Amino acid sequence: AAEAAAAVAKAAAAAAAAGCGDGGFAPKHGVRLLTRALDLKMVLPLLLANPVCALDLEGNLDPGGGGDGGGFGVDLIQVYVPSVDLVLLIHTGALAAAAVQRALGPWLSSREHLKVLCDCRADAEALHAAYGITLAGVVDVQISHAAISGDLPPEVFATAAAGGVAQQLPFFFPTGLSRLASKWCGIADTALAELKAQFGAVFNA
């Protein structure tokens, strides 16, 4: 924990010195594909300079090897950095696990840096299984929606207050990201369907 905190402080100082908080790493309003360990070292100060980012993982995130796509593996880590309107596509399939752990571990495990996800359970488990990273600082919009809509079982709050792990409870949230975006972001389901069709997407959020 002490080493991780030191790494966060060191990278944050580097970010301030380099001006990464002002978008020094990459142009605004764009998408950047990261495929090298050097890319990860360059992007960490930018991430640490932002208090809130959005996070999502792609791949076969079941450590047991289930699912449709062969064996377990994280193929892509997607990060949206709102301060510079930038999407980072980290091609983890092309990177050594140790490089991902060293570069992104301090940020992913930092409680001071919030990561917005929708149903973080598979992502958190995959990060721990693949890289030994314990995801922290999570804002799960699925759980938040369930809490404010009254769908979250009372046992979840009781378990959290006692220091337990919520995922041990047998509850399931059927609310997908499309429905949340339609309700809270003014994005109609039809617009999302058109976007999926445009990019040939086969997922059902």
Side-chain angles (χ1 to χ4, degrees):
E3 293 179 357
V8 168
K10 182 177 180 180
C20 290
D22 298 324
F25 172 75
K28 293 184 178 181
H29 315 298
V31 177
R32 181 148 184 168
L33 178 64
L34 310 179
T35 60
R36 305 173 303 164
L38 179 60
D39 295 334
L40 298 186
K41 292 180 181 179
M42 292 176 63
V43 77
L44 181 59
L46 176 66
L47 296 178
L48 293 176
N50 284 265
V52 181
C53 292
L55 175 69
D56 187 38
L57 273 64
E58 300 294 344
N60 185 346
L61 305 184
D62 179 5
D68 300 329
F72 164 73
V74 179
D75 298 325
L76 197 68
I77 296 179
Q78 304 166 96
V79 182
Y80 174 65
V81 186
S83 67
V84 290
D85 193 18
L86 176 68
V87 176
L88 301 173
L89 301 179
I90 304 170
H91 186 204
T92 48
L95 295 162
V100 176
Q101 196 282 331
R102 284 195 302 268
L104 299 182
W107 175 68
L108 288 167
S109 60
S110 170
R111 294 181 179 273
E112 286 71 36
H113 297 84
L114 301 182
K115 301 98 187 168
V116 180
L117 299 94
C118 182
D119 193 352
C120 72
R121 290 173 288 182
D123 298 62
E125 187 176 9
L127 286 172
H128 190 268
Y131 310 113
I133 295 173
T134 299
L135 184 63
V138 172
V139 177
D140 194 318
V141 295
Q142 191 177 61
I143 293 179
S144 299
H145 176 267
I148 64 176
S149 63
D151 295 332
L152 195 64
E155 294 83 359
V156 175
F157 295 105
T159 301
V165 181
Q167 67 180 11
Q168 294 175 349
L169 296 174
F171 64 88
F172 173 71
F173 301 121
T175 305
L177 187 57
S178 296
R179 185 178 301 176
L180 291 174
S182 176
K183 181 174 182 178
W184 298 104
C185 303
I187 303 175
D189 288 336
T190 53
L192 289 171
E194 292 173 359
L195 183 63
K196 292 178 186 179
Q198 179 181 351
F199 286 92
V202 296
F203 64 90
N204 182 24

